[in-house]
Amino acid sequence: MEVVITPMAEDAARVVADVVAQLVDPRPHAVVGLATGTSPLGAYRLLIAEHRAGRVSFAGCRAVLLDEYVGLPPDHPEAYRSVIRREFADHVDLPPDQLYGPDVWADDLLAACARYDRLLADLGGVDLQLLGIGSDGHVGFNEPGSSLRSRTRVKTLTKATRRDNARFFASAEEVPRHVVTQGLGTIGDARHVVLIATGAAKAEPVARAVEGPLAAVCPASVLQLHPHATVVLDEAAAGGLQLADYYREAYAGKPSWQGL
Ligand code: GLP
């Protein structure tokens, strides 16, 4: 796992946007996993600006969603497909039919989950999966207790996550109780996993994920097993890390031939 500590949230966003742009440039048919939440928004804005400046194209890419609420109508503004379109996909040249997500509107939800895992494999696997981290250490919607090898499936949100996400809805009661999320095993199949976290509120879950024990109680700790995981932080989110000085030194001294 590589931990990159940047001064401010904007710097973290720049690092993540550059990783995506540098993937897509030599690999125009890349499969990119997109996350919702506020954490990746800065990176999306920078990528949109790069696209408008003619420096990056997503025309041949396939984008895949990490998770989706169950029970919202497909056109609900907070359905994650709508969020990703509004915040990113509609502003770049990604063809709408190259944006994929789990079909939470299918009659047979369990079959739809299995289909989504098959789809990711049929696309050739995910080249780069972006992630945020929840205050309880969740990634995607894999809440504490999630099997570290889980596949795409239905999960029940914790009270804490529903409270965190209430800001996107008129009331906490409107936050769906159920979701479909890529499993921790599914996420782990991505060739490169990039987690971005900024702000002091993320310092505790980040420290547990990066330096705590590998444990289902902190689902993001599963990234410790991944052969290519990058955690991009601002100083505030890095506030709980014991080895912060080492991470800074390693990043500052990185040889120029070695990308992220
Ligand atoms: C949500 C999403 C996650 C996201 C997390 C943190 O519940 N399902 O993908 O990483 O919460 O959100 P934020 O980035 O807004 O803090």
Side-chain angles (χ1 to χ4, degrees):
M1 177 185 289
E2 178 166 19
V3 181
V4 178
I5 303 176
T6 65
M8 310 287 288
E10 306 86 86
D11 307 306
R14 170 54 67 190
V15 170
V16 171
D18 286 351
V19 175
V20 176
Q22 283 158 19
L23 167 76
V24 164
D25 180 24
R27 209 169 145 71
H29 301 293
V31 179
V32 183
L34 301 174
T36 54
T38 44
S39 304
L41 291 182
Y44 293 156
R45 282 178 198 135
L46 289 169
L47 285 167
I48 292 166
E50 291 292 301
H51 168 69
R52 289 187 176 145
R55 287 193 286 266
V56 63
S57 168
F58 297 90
C61 287
R62 283 72 51 79
V64 298
L65 299 187
L66 184 58
D67 47 11
E68 184 58 271
Y69 288 116
V70 173
L72 297 180
D75 58 351
H76 191 287
E78 293 309 322
Y80 278 175
R81 180 180 282 269
S82 313
V83 172
I84 287 294
R85 290 191 53 185
R86 185 169 69 239
E87 301 293 352
F88 179 66
D90 284 354
H91 309 285
V92 296
D93 56 349
L94 179 83
D97 63 349
Q98 287 170 210
L99 172 64
Y100 303 90
D103 181 8
V104 296
W105 300 279
D107 289 336
D108 185 343
L109 202 48
L110 298 187
C113 293
R115 234 179 8 252
Y116 194 57
D117 270 342
R118 277 200 304 277
L119 170 79
L120 299 182
D122 290 347
L123 291 174
V126 176
D127 290 299
L128 187 157
Q129 178 64 58
L130 293 177
L131 296 173
I133 185 169
S135 58
D136 60 4
H138 73 239
V139 285
F141 267 137
N142 292 280
E143 295 285 32
S146 288
S147 157
L148 298 177
R149 295 180 68 181
S150 46
R151 311 304 304 177
T152 298
R153 68 215 184 290
V154 179
K155 286 295 286 181
T156 301
L157 295 181
T158 61
K159 282 202 181 79
T161 298
R162 293 184 68 232
R163 212 169 31 237
D164 285 348
N165 289 3
R167 65 190 195 277
F168 300 113
F169 293 83
S171 74
E173 262 315 292
E174 281 182 35
V175 183
R177 286 173 195 278
H178 296 105
V179 294
V180 167
T181 181
Q182 283 190 36
L184 295 173
T186 313
I187 292 168
D189 287 346
R191 285 181 271 279
H192 187 189
V193 177
V194 177
L195 184 148
I196 180 168
T198 57
K202 295 294 168 73
E204 193 258 351
V206 163
R208 291 203 297 136
V210 173
E211 294 179 341
L214 173 68
V217 74
C218 179
S221 67
V222 76
L223 298 189
Q224 295 176 28
L225 283 178
H226 198 282
H228 191 186
T230 308
V231 175
V232 184
L233 308 170
D234 65 357
E235 284 290 348
L241 294 174
Q242 295 171 38
L243 300 179
D245 285 344
Y246 169 66
Y247 306 137
R248 285 190 198 94
E249 187 190 322
Y251 186 60
K254 239 174 125 78
S256 55
W257 51 264
Q258 193 185 41
L260 278 180

